[in-house]
């Protein structure tokens, strides 16, 4: 049995941020994540490092947190952030009154906002709809959530923190009505282990209430599903928002060679049974097309949903719920942290760790706003510009991932999961969505003795099911044609019809 001071449940941005903060304050800890890092809302988000503009009119407190954290993350997480800048564009018919309130609120909250003419906006983003009436420039950025989580985990590992991915918390151990540990299950071998700790932090996002109930408490949450669509091209170098109250399909964020467009907001009750409705893709595509007309003719490669873990509120409109966060002390050895944004993950981690430090009777201050994330240099081979320099033995043609890259990840983290290689190299994230490179990567894993042939069939089957779920709502045009080819490969050549 393992013993530590703090157990963190959840390897999203919040959990990884807490692990790093505890590490920098010298507190022994274990982080438990049932999938890979960023498997929940963190990896299913736009990757927008908010300037605060999106919330400034309706939720100035959340907007103020966003601009502060935006400034900090640009400094400490340079290799995760692309300082794109952002535009809020006003199209014909969009309210001028809202525009005036937006500018006034930006001034009050301290968000730099510069009004620019349509000509200047079109110089910056030539793909914008030329009918736009004006644009407001703000310091929005694009941020890589996978890299952010992994880098936060590096600090934790460097100081001896335990990080267990692909381990699920299946129960909370209680003694005399106090939570004293967790039972975890290895998701590959099914082996069950116990870890004991002085305190437990529930940072499991949309699963927060499920986990809290294992410990005999509950957390008041509203779950809101949002769907996103990925375009095959980088249609804009700046984040583009529509200058109107937040609604469906009003954001598009550049990310590497593609763009992420979204989103929707639909109440859900179970974070494990969510799908993208093709109607959501239609709404997002038509709304984004009104800002960037080329979006209507660009190949869409995938759609995926995420669930926002929001604070419970007395409203049916999930967009009206505050993006602020809350820490709940269940007074039984467990704390829960919920709400917030990817943008504010560091602040959330700081406040959560402050509470733990106080509980332990210590006074160690937080330094995460000043100390840059460790390990950023090692990850600098990941951007496309670097990958273009090394084109030997390509495994994934869409994203230029080499055999060496795949072998390095398999060696470094000893994984049996194809998704882990994807998140660390972008393997399979291009137009064919892993149609060609997945079986090659599995072949390498077998050659390296990580998987038996029957295990690799299981992994492939699970991967294909997840993959099809993601591309199905976006299947038309070239994407549909390519999918037919991929279908022939797997169902025809590889005879997988019985399995999938
Ligand atoms: C569609 C969409 C778009 C968004 N866009 C943005 C954006 O652009 N910018 C922004 O700042 N914010 C955005 N957000 C909000 C942001 O994604 C979330 O607020 C944030 O990522 C939440 O992080 P988290 O770590 O608290 O939760 P999560 O990322 O959901 O992490 C919780 C983790 O807990 C794990 N877990 C659950 N149960 C268990 C268990 N029993 N055992 C072990 N592990 C468990 C899950 O697998 C998961 O990885 C968006 C959200 C959505 C849904």
């Amino acid at each position: 049995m393992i013993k530590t001071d703090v157990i963190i449940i959840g390897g999203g941005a919040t959990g990884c941020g807490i692990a790093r903060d505890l590490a920098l304050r010298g507190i022994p800890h274990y982080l438990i994540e049932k999938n890979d890092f960023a498997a929940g809302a963190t990896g299913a988000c736009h990757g927008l490092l908010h300037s605060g503009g999106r919330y400034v009119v309706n939720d100035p407190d959340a907007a103020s947190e966003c601009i502060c954290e935006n400034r900090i993350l640009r400094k400490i997480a340079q290799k995760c952030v692309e300082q794109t800048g952002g535009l809020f564009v006003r199209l014909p018919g969009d309210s001028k009154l809202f525009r005036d309130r937006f500018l006034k609120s930006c001034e009050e909250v301290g968000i730099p906002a510069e009004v620019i003419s349509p000509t200047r906006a079109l110089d910056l983003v030539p793909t914008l709809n030329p009918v736009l009436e004006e644009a407001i420039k703000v310091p929005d950025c694009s941020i890589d959530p996978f890299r952010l989580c992994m880098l936060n985990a590096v600090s934790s590992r460097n100081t001896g923190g335990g990080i267990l991915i692909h381990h699920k918390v299946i129960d909370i151990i209680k003694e005399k009505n106090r939570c004293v540990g967790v039972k975890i299950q290895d998701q590959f071998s099914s082996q069950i282990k116990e870890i004991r700790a002085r305190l437990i932090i529930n940072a499991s996002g949309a699963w927060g209430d499920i986990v809290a109930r294992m410990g005999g408490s509950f957390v008041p949450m509203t779950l809101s599903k949002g769907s996103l669509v990925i375009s095959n091209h980088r249609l804009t170098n700046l984040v583009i928002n529509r200058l109107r109250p937040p609604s469906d399909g009003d954001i598009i964020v550049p990310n590497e060679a593609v763009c992420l467009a979204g989103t929707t907001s639909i109440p859900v009750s179970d974070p494990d049974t969510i799908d993208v409705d093709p109607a959501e893709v239609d709404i997002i595509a038509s709304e984004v097309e009104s800002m960037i007309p080329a979006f209507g003719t660009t190949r869409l490669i995938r759609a995926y949903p995420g669930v926002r873990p929001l604070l419970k509120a007395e409203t049916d409109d999930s967009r009206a719920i505050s993006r602020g966060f809350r820490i709940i002390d269940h007074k039984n050895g467990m704390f829960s942290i919920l709400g917030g944004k990817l943008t504010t993950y560091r602040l959330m981690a700081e406040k959560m760790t402050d509470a733990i430090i106080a509980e332990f009777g210590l006074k160690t201050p937080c330094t995460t706003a000043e100390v840059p994330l460790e390990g950023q240099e090692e990850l600098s081979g990941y951007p496309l510009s670097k990958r273009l320099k090394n084109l030997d033995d390509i495994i994934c043609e869409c994203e230029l991932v080499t055999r060496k890259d795949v072998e390095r990840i398999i060696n470094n983290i000893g994984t049996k999961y194809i998704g882990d290689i994807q998140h660390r190299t972008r393997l399979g994230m291009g137009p064919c969505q892993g149609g060609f490179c997945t079986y090659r990567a599995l072949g390498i894993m077998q050659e390296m003795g990580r998987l038996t042939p029957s295990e690799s069939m299981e992994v492939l089957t699970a991967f294909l099911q997840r993959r099809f779920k993601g591309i199905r709502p976006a299947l038309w045009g070239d994407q549909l044609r390519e999918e037919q080819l991929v279908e022939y490969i797997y169902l025809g050549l590889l005879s997988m019809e019985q399995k999938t």
Side-chain angles (χ1 to χ4, degrees), residues 464-483:
L464 288 174
Q465 279 164 348
R466 267 200 330 276
R467 173 186 178 276
F468 191 64
K469 203 173 158 188
I471 55 177
R472 189 169 164 270
L475 272 185
W476 61 77
D478 286 341
Q479 195 64 356
L480 179 57
R481 277 188 278 280
E482 179 151 2
E483 188 51 20

Side-chain angles (χ1 to χ4, degrees), residues 237-280:
N237 282 326
L238 273 75
V239 174
I240 307 295
N241 280 270
R242 183 89 174 260
L243 186 53
R244 66 178 184 194
S247 48
D248 287 344
D250 53 5
I251 307 180
I252 176 162
V253 182
N255 175 300
E256 294 258 334
V258 301
C259 280
L260 310 182
T263 174
T264 50
S265 187
I266 298 168
V268 289
S269 52
D270 179 0
D272 287 311
T273 54
I274 49 162
D275 276 316
V276 177
D277 184 332
E280 290 178 88

Side-chain angles (χ1 to χ4, degrees), residues 84-280:
T84 55
L87 295 181
F88 277 76
V89 298
R90 190 165 63 79
L91 298 179
D94 290 345
S95 154
K96 273 196 174 165
L97 200 62
F98 183 79
R99 172 247 193 224
D100 294 343
R101 285 173 64 204
F102 180 90
L103 282 171
K104 186 165 173 284
S105 308
C106 281
E107 198 180 333
E108 283 164 6
V109 168
I111 301 171
E114 180 195 353
V115 180
I116 61 173
S117 67
T119 320
R120 170 105 196 279
L122 284 161
D123 276 349
L124 290 171
V125 184
T127 48
L128 275 179
N129 191 339
V131 303
L132 87 157
E133 297 192 334
E134 69 181 335
I136 299 173
K137 194 158 184 278
V138 293
D140 280 340
C141 301
S142 167
I143 184 162
D144 183 326
F146 294 106
R147 209 180 305 177
L148 187 70
C149 288
M150 285 179 226
L151 287 172
N152 274 277
V154 167
S155 303
S156 160
R157 278 210 185 96
N158 286 351
T159 58
I163 304 271
L164 292 176
I165 57 172
H166 300 297
H167 283 74
K168 181 175 181 177
V169 172
I170 52 168
D171 202 5
I172 308 269
I173 305 164
K174 291 178 284 297
E175 279 172 9
K176 296 183 190 150
N177 289 327
R178 200 171 160 81
C179 302
V180 293
V182 292
K183 270 197 184 139
I184 58 173
Q185 184 170 41
D186 183 323
Q187 296 300 282
F188 207 81
S189 68
S190 298
Q191 195 195 348
I192 293 177
K193 303 166 200 163
E194 271 187 33
I195 306 182
R196 299 230 166 191
R198 292 161 73 193
L199 290 173
I200 297 175
I201 300 173
N202 170 16
S204 57
W207 293 266
D209 192 44
I210 299 171
V211 170
R213 283 177 196 273
M214 289 183 204
S217 328
F218 73 99
V219 290
M221 298 179 74
T222 294
L223 303 183
S224 155
K225 179 189 80 163
S227 294
L228 294 171
V229 179
I230 308 180
S231 70
N232 193 25
H233 296 291
R234 184 169 164 121
L235 296 165
T236 166
N237 282 326
L238 273 75
V239 174
I240 307 295
N241 280 270
R242 183 89 174 260
L243 186 53
R244 66 178 184 194
S247 48
D248 287 344
D250 53 5
I251 307 180
I252 176 162
V253 182
N255 175 300
E256 294 258 334
V258 301
C259 280
L260 310 182
T263 174
T264 50
S265 187
I266 298 168
V268 289
S269 52
D270 179 0
D272 287 311
T273 54
I274 49 162
D275 276 316
V276 177
D277 184 332
E280 290 178 88

Side-chain angles (χ1 to χ4, degrees), residues 245 300 334 346 392 394 410 442 487:
L300 303 180
M334 174 146 72
R346 191 214 60 83
D392 293 339
I394 296 278
I410 297 171
L442 283 169
E487 188 178 314

Side-chain angles (χ1 to χ4, degrees), residues 9-15 32-35 39-42 44-48 50 167-169 203-205 207 211 226 228 263 306-309 340-343:
I9 305 173
T14 310
I32 316 296
E33 165 55 53
K34 64 179 173 171
N35 292 306
T42 300
C45 81
H46 287 99
L48 167 55
H50 286 275
H167 283 74
K168 181 175 181 177
V169 172
S204 57
W207 293 266
V211 170
L228 294 171
T263 174
V307 182
R308 300 174 186 90
K341 302 286 301 165
L342 173 67
T343 304

